[in-house]
């Protein structure tokens, strides 16, 4: 990064990150056509975020997480356990569909990694589910209602000594570790370090090392895939991931029922914990964006929708910390890509508070017309292709539907045609129809120059 | 006129509702009547949800309160009295094969039970065959298939097909529900109806079985 990064404003930082994305020279592009495809793809995405895509061609992003596996005819279990097979399937996806943007090979994760860890947090094909199932989270109270104080006092310590041993059975021994801050000076050094020598802790550390080796190895494959894809002119959809703090607590720690109880019995603890976790979520997204060199940070939003909580609860429990994370990432030049599950019709006025030209909001059940209107000059929006359309319609129907959506929302200057939900299987011809949806249309009015 | 307990439950006053039940039971109160009052409270919760005054957490929380009330009154209900608690009909509910999401399914289960139906909850990741066997064993006339993932659509279709192949299709009505369900999915699966939330599941079941 430039030496004077601290002197750049958020807009300049965003520009710098996209310039970095455009300036890649390694690996060399396979052809001039690939170089042009890549450049156009990055610029189109950048301009859409800036609400200034006047090309008449919108970015298209199917959320086809494990589709490459099903398209290649390998089971999801094989994709998770056989890295080279997954690599081949994802490469075939690039061959057969030539997308501008794709969901990375890391979406297939590693079954081996989950086995090493003795994962209890998920069930997956080959790990409690049949070979054709998708991996899914096990909803449970992994943190007790009375443990908020401990989490707040030392999130990392809680993670190391309570959370990880609970969700990964093979790390149970780490619960015997004493706080890291106890390791200091003399004479307390030896007695306070001794817990690291406990047999169960040593076992846990061995598991961490094995898990680290597996994760590193599989990520090397993912990085190599991204290099090959880039050489062919395709751009991975995002560089990292983060979470809304409320969802981090609800999905990862307290579980749905536990979170509901907290909403009634101790909402002030949710607020305090969300506030405490917000900077950590900024850090998580920023670290990944830095490491990957890609400014987009994917943030799936689960529980803030119109059906799950009242507007009052959203305003108090969900929005403030989410906004902190989004703004924190934007200030560093990253682009939060909010994947908003459920309906957000009554939340759109809150999203109007987002920094203009700095975020992407992909919608699931929200009224896209209403979102387009409310977020004009604020956010790039996306969606418009229901899963049922991709699954059950003919390819002509998919093509007509997608063209209509593009023609309706493309002129706003910031629109991404996307699936409204994760899709692991669909007819190949329907996906092709979606990817071919762009038609030249009249460019929309130019918004204020945001650069 | 709503009873004190039903009001406490409707207003989601957990501690007060549980203390009320404790006091009533200590004073020799009618356990079945207390349970009936609590269920009336749940019905009002359902109404408020339909009106947009309550949300999913309110439904879940009210269900948690009812569970605790049921645990308290259960030891005070004689088997004979429990057997006389007439049910409106039997409903089989489960999350289909390959899907382990249970929040929506659990809400449907407790709201059906509150409404007076006998629910056979098959759990999550339910193999196709298990639905068929459950229909044969229980004689249930309604089957509810829950699924959150788009992959659940195929499992729902296979389940409906298996029920048809076993000759049981004319004897049951099948409803589906979950995060991605709509008219297109309904048509694809061959089910009879879909509910976009737990309230609609009750409405559909009541139309089919009465109640």
């Amino acid at each position: 990064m430039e030496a004077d990064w601290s002197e750049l404003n958020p807009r300049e930082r965003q520009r710098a990150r996209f310039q970095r994305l455009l300036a890649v020279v390694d690996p060399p592009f396979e052809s001039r056509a690939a170089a042009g495809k890549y450049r156009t793809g990055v610029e189109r995405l950048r301009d859409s975020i800036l609400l200034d895509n006047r090309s008449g061609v919108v970015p298209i992003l199917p959320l086809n997480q494990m589709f490459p596996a099903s398209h290649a005819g390998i089971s999801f279990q094989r994709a998770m356990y056989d890295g080279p097979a997954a690599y081949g399937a994802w490469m075939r996806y690039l061959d057969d569909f030539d997308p501008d943007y794709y969901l990375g090979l890391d979406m297939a994760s590693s079954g081996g990694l989950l086995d090493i860890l003795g994962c209890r947090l998920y069930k997956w094909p080959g790990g409690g589910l049949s070979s054709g199932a998708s991996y899914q989270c096990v909803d449970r109270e992994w943190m007790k209602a009375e443990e908020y104080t401990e989490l707040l006092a030392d999130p990392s310590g809680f993670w190391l000594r309570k959370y990880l041993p609970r969700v990964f059975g093979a790390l149970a021994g780490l619960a015997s570790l004493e706080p890291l801050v106890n390791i200091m000076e003399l004479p307390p050094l030896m007695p306070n370090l001794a817990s690291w020598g406990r047999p169960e802790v040593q076992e846990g550390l061995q598991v961490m090392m094995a898990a680290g080796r597996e994760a590193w190895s599989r990520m090397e494959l993912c990085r190599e895939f991204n290099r090959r894809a880039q050489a062919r002119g395709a751009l991975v959809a995002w560089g990292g991931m983060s979470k809304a703090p409320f969802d981090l607590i609800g999905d990862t720690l307290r579980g749905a029922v536990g979170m509901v109880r907290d909403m009634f019995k101790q909402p002030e603890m949710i607020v305090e914990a969300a506030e405490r976790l917000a900077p950590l979520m900024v850090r998580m997204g920023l670290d990944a964006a830095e490491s990957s060199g890609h400014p987009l940070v994917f943030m799936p939003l689960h529980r803030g929708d119109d059906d799950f909580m009242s507007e009052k609860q959203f305003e108090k429990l969900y929005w403030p910390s989410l906004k902190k994370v989004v703004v924190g990432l934007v200030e560093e030049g990253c682009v939060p890509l909010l994947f908003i599950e459920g309906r957000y019709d009554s939340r759109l006025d809150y999203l109007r508070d987002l920094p203009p030209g700095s975020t992407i909001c992909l919608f699931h059940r929200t009224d896209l017309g209403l979102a387009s209107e409310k977020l004009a000059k604020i956010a790039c929006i996306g969606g418009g292709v229901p899963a049922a359309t991709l699954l059950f319609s003919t390819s002509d129907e998919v093509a007509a539907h997608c063209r209509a959506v593009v023609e309706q929302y493309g002129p706003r200057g910031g629109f991404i045609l996307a699936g409204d939900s994760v899709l692991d299987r669909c007819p190949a011809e329907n996906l092709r129809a979606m990817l071919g949806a762009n038609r030249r249309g009249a460019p929309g009015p130019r918004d204020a120059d945001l650069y | 006129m709503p009873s004190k307990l039903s009001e406490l439950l409707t207003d989601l006053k957990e501690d007060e509702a549980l203390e009320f039940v404790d006091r009533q039971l200590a004073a020799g109160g009618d356990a079945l009547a207390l349970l009936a009052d609590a269920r009336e409270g749940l019905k009002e919760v359902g109404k408020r949800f339909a009106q947009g005054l309550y949300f999913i957490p309110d439904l879940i929380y009210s269900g948690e309160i009812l569970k605790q009330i049921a645990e308290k009154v259960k030891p005070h209900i004689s088997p004979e009295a429990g057997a006389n608690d007439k049910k409106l009909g039997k409903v089989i509910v489960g999350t289909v094969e390959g899907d382990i999401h249970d929040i929506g399914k659990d809400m449907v289960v407790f709201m059906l039970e509150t409404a007076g139906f006998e629910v056979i909850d098959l759990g999550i990741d339910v193999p196709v065959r298990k639905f068929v066997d459950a229909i044969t064993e229980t004689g249930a006339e309604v089957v509810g298939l829950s699924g959150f993932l788009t992959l659940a659509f195929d499992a729902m279709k296979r389940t409906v097909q298996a029920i048809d192949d076993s000759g049981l299709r004319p004897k049951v009505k099948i409803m589906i529900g979950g995060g991605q369900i709509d008219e297109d999915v309904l048509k694809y699966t061959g089910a009879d109806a879909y509910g976009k939330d737990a309230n609609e599941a009750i409405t559909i079941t009541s139309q089919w079985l009465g109640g």
Side-chain angles (χ1 to χ4, degrees), chain A residues 76 122-123 128-130 132-139 256-257 260-261 263-265 303 305-311 313 341 347 364-365 386-389 391-393 420-425, chain B residues 12 14-15 49 53-62 64-65 67-68 95 97-103 106 124-125 148-151 153-154 178-182 184-186 188-189 196-197:
Chain A
F76 296 166
Y122 273 77
K123 287 193 176 183
L129 295 177
S130 64
S134 297
Y135 51 77
Q136 296 158 67
C137 194
V138 175
D139 185 86
V257 173
V260 163
R261 293 192 67 81
M263 287 169 76
F264 289 96
K265 303 294 274 189
R303 300 273 190 226
D305 70 289
D306 293 349
D307 293 321
F308 192 80
M309 55 174 66
S310 68
E311 190 173 330
Q313 287 169 324
E341 296 186 16
R347 317 293 194 224
H364 173 213
R365 298 280 190 201
T389 301
L391 284 168
F392 306 132
S393 302
D420 73 351
S421 48
V422 169
L423 199 61
D424 292 325
R425 291 192 184 100
Chain B
L12 306 176
E14 178 184 17
D15 294 340
F49 178 75
L53 299 171
Y54 273 7
F55 298 81
I56 290 172
D58 303 286
L59 287 186
I60 294 174
Y61 189 47
S62 62
E64 292 294 303
I65 300 173
K67 264 188 224 168
Q68 293 177 80
T95 301
E97 191 167 28
D99 196 318
I100 64 171
H101 291 86
D102 59 1
I103 303 296
D106 287 348
I124 56 174
D125 187 21
F148 187 77
L149 305 174
T150 53
L151 287 180
F153 301 165
D154 284 330
Q180 322 286 351
I181 306 294
D182 60 17
D184 289 328
V185 179
L186 176 67
Y188 176 74
T189 59
K196 67 171 173 55
D197 55 42

Side-chain angles (χ1 to χ4, degrees), chain B:
Chain B
M1 178 79 169
S3 69
K4 174 78 178 165
L5 180 59
S6 72
E7 277 185 350
L8 288 172
L9 206 152
T10 301
D11 292 340
L12 306 176
K13 294 189 172 150
E14 178 184 17
D15 294 340
E16 288 151 288
L18 296 176
E19 280 163 16
F20 179 86
V21 169
D22 285 339
R23 283 198 306 272
Q24 291 294 308
L25 289 173
D30 182 340
L32 268 179
L34 283 170
L35 198 55
D37 285 345
R39 286 185 176 147
E40 282 305 310
L42 258 289
K43 285 184 185 168
E44 183 58 31
V45 168
K47 282 187 194 157
R48 291 186 186 183
F49 178 75
Q51 290 163 356
L53 299 171
Y54 273 7
F55 298 81
I56 290 172
D58 303 286
L59 287 186
I60 294 174
Y61 189 47
S62 62
E64 292 294 303
I65 300 173
L66 179 65
K67 264 188 224 168
Q68 293 177 80
I69 292 173
E71 283 304 310
K72 284 181 183 291
V73 302
K74 212 164 40 172
H76 300 269
I77 298 176
S78 68
E80 299 80 25
N84 286 338
D85 187 18
K86 191 165 169 39
K87 300 293 181 186
L88 295 171
K90 292 183 185 176
V91 186
I92 294 167
V93 178
T95 301
V96 294
E97 191 167 28
D99 196 318
I100 64 171
H101 291 86
D102 59 1
I103 303 296
K105 184 231 356 136
D106 287 348
M107 280 201 299
V108 168
V109 166
F110 93 75
M111 285 188 74
L112 282 171
E113 287 177 334
T114 303
F117 296 99
E118 180 182 341
V119 182
I120 299 100
D121 183 356
L122 299 181
I124 56 174
D125 187 21
V126 180
V128 166
R129 190 72 228 166
K130 201 166 171 186
F131 279 106
V132 177
D133 291 344
I135 297 170
T136 307
E137 285 159 13
T138 66
E141 294 169 283
V142 173
V143 178
L145 306 179
S146 177
F148 187 77
L149 305 174
T150 53
L151 287 180
F153 301 165
D154 284 330
M156 288 176 177
K157 185 179 174 76
R158 287 199 307 274
T159 305
V160 173
Q161 187 62 52
I163 294 171
D164 192 31
D165 291 344
S166 64
L168 294 168
R169 187 66 177 96
K171 298 185 181 178
V172 296
K173 290 284 200 185
I174 304 174
M175 60 181 177
I176 58 175
Q180 322 286 351
I181 306 294
D182 60 17
E183 277 293 332
D184 289 328
V185 179
L186 176 67
K187 206 166 137 194
Y188 176 74
T189 59
D192 298 304
Y194 78 96
K196 67 171 173 55
D197 55 42
N199 257 353
E200 285 196 5
I202 310 306
T203 306
I204 292 165
T205 306
S206 299
Q207 282 166 359
W208 286 338
L209 294 181

